Amino acid sequence: MLCQDRPWVVCFSSACLLVIIWSFRLFDVRDAFSILVYDESRKQHEEGVFLHQAMDVEFPAPIDYRPIREVCARAQFRPGLLFTCEEQHGGIGMVRNQILKCVRYAIHGGGAIVVPSMALRNASDITDIETATEVPLDYMFDRQAFITRLSEGCPEMRIYDRVEDFPSYEQRVEEPLALVGDQFEPDHPREGLRHPGQWRRSFDEWLAKQSVKVRPDAPVHVRLEQSFLEYPVRVDGDAFAREFGKVLSFRDDTRELAAKVLFKLKQRFAPSIDPTKAISPDAYYGCHLRLEKDAVDAWQPDEWRFSRMEDQFDEQFRNIERTGLSTIYVASGDQTVVDVFAERLAARLASGSSSEKRNVTVVTKHDLLQGPDRRQLDSLTFDQQALVDFLVLFRSSAFMGVAHSSFPWNIALRRHELSKYSQYGNEGSDLLRDEYSVIMGMEADYPHVDPFVYGLWP
Ligand SMILES: *[C@@H]1O[C@H](CO)[C@@H](O)[C@H](O)[C@H]1NC(C)=O
Ligand SMILES: *[C@@H]1O[C@H](CO)[C@@H](O)[C@H](O)[C@H]1NC(C)=O
């Protein structure tokens, strides 16, 4: 018998121990553990689903190939003609548009294309954008997505990895012919080419003048060089203008980091973020500060009002107050600018006349990403990091930027696709103002405003 010869206390304890051991066997620590594990894996699963959904939303709507196919079907492609688009330079706004423009001309010309490439910005001097170092499309974009989508949209167009892959390339007529997009209409107005529909005819006449004939056995190689915002993107119809830019998708790692930033924003500040929606209301404010060295160099503060920190900040502060949002996602290639911005905003709110003191938090991608994600972000270059900001700003509840940079225009124009307004400057006098975005100031606030509205594919 169990308790024979033992004091009852000992006996009772042993019995208790047995009960405990048995109950552990029955209910098992593993159960408790597996609840924890289950909870953890459920969280991981939820995060995975969120990231997956968020990464898929890069535009207001997924690509619709129809308008692209219609334009390509009219183009009359021909063998023996190859276009290349190299040395495209600038930030993402410009490079992306240059590449799209180059592809658009190649469609007009009815030729094949080599996957475009671009010039690498000098990391030790960010004002130096036109370097001799050429980097592949993958530097900023998803190469495979470009090939797949352009082939889907433009099945007639051949796409090559390298010029040498083009049939009979070694028998080409001569050295590549250089051409810029507005060469046939050098005096076009600010709004762009008057007759883009005649580009093909002018191009063929230009070839003929040089006694060049397009023949499959002796191919012609045309290098399209960089020109500035001269192609009127709406001329091919609104549907094409809306879809064409979607052949370029940002590189995967930047889309994943942006999705992670969005997840952190949701967890910590903005539960209303819906990963499947381009723009979630009442979530966070997207603030683009264009005050990096390259910007202040290019647009000098004595002439360009919004290159002055005070003036640019002031517009943002007033817009933040107008929208009432309390999480401010700030994007700038210069962390000092962000720090000064956060200090001044806090000071302004603390001394504010408004009776109710608002709790406003300024965050950046650097604050939100941790551990391996943060290290991955830090390993990216200036222009690659800007892709993460672009995507997070694109999805903000309210967005504001300046008018002299293509980056905020690209974001605001893409968001404008969701606006109920067809015009740009709707609810006030700013250059662009709709329910989602503001491009600050009026024409009179700038020495000049480049024709981004006409020449940028959203
Ligand atoms: C990049 O800029 C630095 C600093 O101005 C300069 O010394 C260097 O030569 C530049 N590099 C290239 C590849 O142009
Ligand atoms: C502001 O937010 C912080 C962090 O979320 C919180 O600790 C603090 O209590 C808030 N202050 C007010 C006045 O709501």
Side-chain angles (χ1 to χ4, degrees):
M1 183 72 212
L2 188 65
C3 287
Q4 224 170 10
D5 312 327
R6 292 183 199 183
W8 73 271
V9 181
V10 175
C11 171
F12 183 72
S13 309
S14 316
C16 285
L17 198 61
L18 267 179
V19 168
I20 287 168
I21 289 168
W22 272 104
S23 49
F24 261 128
R25 290 186 64 90
L26 288 177
F27 300 104
D28 213 321
V29 271
R30 276 175 303 174
D31 285 345
F33 185 62
S34 67
I35 286 168
L36 281 178
V37 168
Y38 173 75
D39 205 44
E40 199 45 46
S41 75
R42 189 177 50 88
K43 272 195 205 140
Q44 269 173 14
H45 176 71
E46 275 171 14
E47 180 172 352
V49 170
F50 182 101
L51 297 181
H52 189 76
Q53 288 173 331
M55 276 180 76
D56 269 354
V57 183
E58 194 178 359
F59 294 92
I63 189 164
D64 169 8
Y65 290 109
R66 253 175 320 163
I68 306 177
R69 286 199 189 119
E70 283 167 21
V71 164
C72 280
R74 290 198 297 269
Q76 293 174 324
F77 282 84
R78 45 193 162 169
L81 178 62
L82 179 65
F83 288 92
T84 56
C85 324
E86 295 119 334
E87 296 170 17
Q88 313 298 327
H89 53 266
I92 177 60
M94 286 322 296
V95 166
R96 175 177 175 275
N97 211 60
Q98 293 302 336
I99 291 174
L100 291 171
K101 198 144 54 87
C102 187
V103 175
R104 183 65 193 94
Y105 287 127
I107 296 172
H108 272 303
I113 198 169
V114 171
V115 176
S117 54
M118 65 199 85
L120 179 69
R121 189 194 292 259
N122 187 335
S124 23
D125 176 8
I126 58 166
T127 63
D128 183 8
I129 50 175
E130 246 182 293
T131 65
T133 313
E134 192 73 0
V135 285
L137 190 74
D138 329 41
Y139 179 65
M140 288 201 197
F141 304 99
D142 184 335
R143 185 187 190 87
Q144 197 46 55
F146 172 77
I147 295 170
T148 311
R149 293 179 193 179
L150 189 56
S151 315
E152 276 285 313
C154 216
E156 303 87 346
M157 183 180 236
R158 300 273 86 84
I159 306 165
Y160 297 94
D161 270 324
R162 308 169 311 156
V163 283
E164 303 86 65
D165 299 338
F166 191 73
S168 310
Y169 186 71
E170 62 289 351
Q171 287 147 45
R172 66 189 177 280
V173 282
E174 52 187 309
E175 284 314 295
L177 305 169
L179 180 66
V180 286
D182 54 1
Q183 192 160 321
F184 311 131
E185 254 190 82
D187 302 320
H188 63 81
R190 175 178 175 277
E191 293 80 13
L193 301 180
R194 273 209 190 83
H195 312 292
Q198 286 171 31
W199 199 89
R200 170 66 168 264
R201 199 203 304 158
S202 309
F203 173 70
D204 285 347
E205 284 167 9
W206 174 76
L207 287 178
K209 244 185 252 162
Q210 304 173 75
S211 317
V212 172
K213 246 190 141 109
V214 173
R215 286 176 14 208
D217 55 336
V220 179
H221 174 181
V222 177
R223 287 184 54 146
L224 282 164
E225 302 193 335
Q226 186 144 336
S227 46
F228 192 64
L229 293 172
E230 81 287 0
Y231 194 85
V233 300
R234 304 271 153 199
V235 79
D236 298 307
D238 282 349
F240 181 86
R242 203 164 44 234
E243 303 305 328
F244 185 50
K246 298 178 187 173
V247 300
L248 282 179
S249 177
F250 290 175
R251 41 186 281 162
D252 265 9
D253 53 354
T254 61
R255 287 191 300 122
E256 190 175 352
L257 286 173
K260 285 179 171 166
V261 168
L262 210 60
F263 185 73
K264 293 287 177 195
L265 279 168
K266 182 182 170 84
Q267 265 189 330
R268 289 177 54 186
F269 306 106
S272 70
I273 291 174
D274 178 344
T276 65
K277 295 250 156 53
I279 299 175
S280 301
D282 306 319
Y284 64 98
Y285 181 94
C287 170
H288 181 237
L289 298 177
R290 194 72 176 98
L291 288 163
E292 299 90 342
K293 185 178 184 305
D294 65 323
V296 178
D297 260 28
W299 303 288
Q300 305 260 324
D302 52 343
E303 261 193 281
W304 294 78
R305 194 186 141 199
F306 292 124
S307 272
R308 289 176 224 145
M309 191 179 264
E310 291 68 31
D311 286 22
Q312 199 179 122
F313 282 5
D314 204 53
E315 292 291 321
Q316 293 281 3
F317 293 158
R318 282 191 284 137
N319 198 40
I320 288 169
E321 282 158 16
R322 184 182 67 87
T323 59
L325 290 159
S326 51
T327 304
I328 317 298
Y329 180 86
V330 179
S332 170
D334 185 337
Q335 185 57 38
T336 311
V337 167
V338 179
D339 295 340
V340 177
F341 179 84
E343 271 167 35
R344 298 213 184 151
L345 177 59
R348 183 184 168 111
L349 290 169
S351 69
S353 52
S354 78
S355 51
E356 160 215 13
K357 293 264 182 286
R358 282 178 45 224
N359 205 355
V360 168
T361 313
V362 170
V363 287
T364 66
K365 56 190 179 304
H366 300 287
D367 306 327
L368 293 162
L369 296 176
Q370 282 137 18
D373 296 333
R374 175 63 195 272
R375 284 194 291 280
Q376 198 190 349
L377 176 72
D378 290 343
S379 73
L380 299 177
T381 64
F382 179 85
D383 285 301
Q384 291 169 336
Q385 293 199 11
L387 304 179
V388 179
D389 280 331
F390 184 112
L391 294 169
V392 180
L393 293 173
F394 164 61
R395 309 193 60 166
S396 60
S397 313
F399 168 71
M400 188 186 230
V402 300
H404 47 272
S405 168
S406 59
F407 184 88
W409 269 112
N410 204 163
I411 293 168
L413 290 169
R414 190 175 293 185
R415 291 158 63 85
H416 190 72
E417 303 280 306
L418 292 159
S419 172
K420 64 173 189 271
Y421 305 108
S422 55
Q423 296 301 308
Y424 298 105
N426 293 289
E427 296 179 334
S429 52
D430 291 285
L431 281 160
L432 182 148
R433 180 185 279 261
D434 61 23
E435 319 84 308
Y436 305 114
S437 316
V438 181
I439 294 293
M440 66 176 72
M442 300 182 280
E443 297 246 5
D445 289 313
Y446 297 86
H448 64 89
V449 177
D450 288 322
F452 295 117
V453 162
Y454 305 100
L456 217 54
W457 275 283

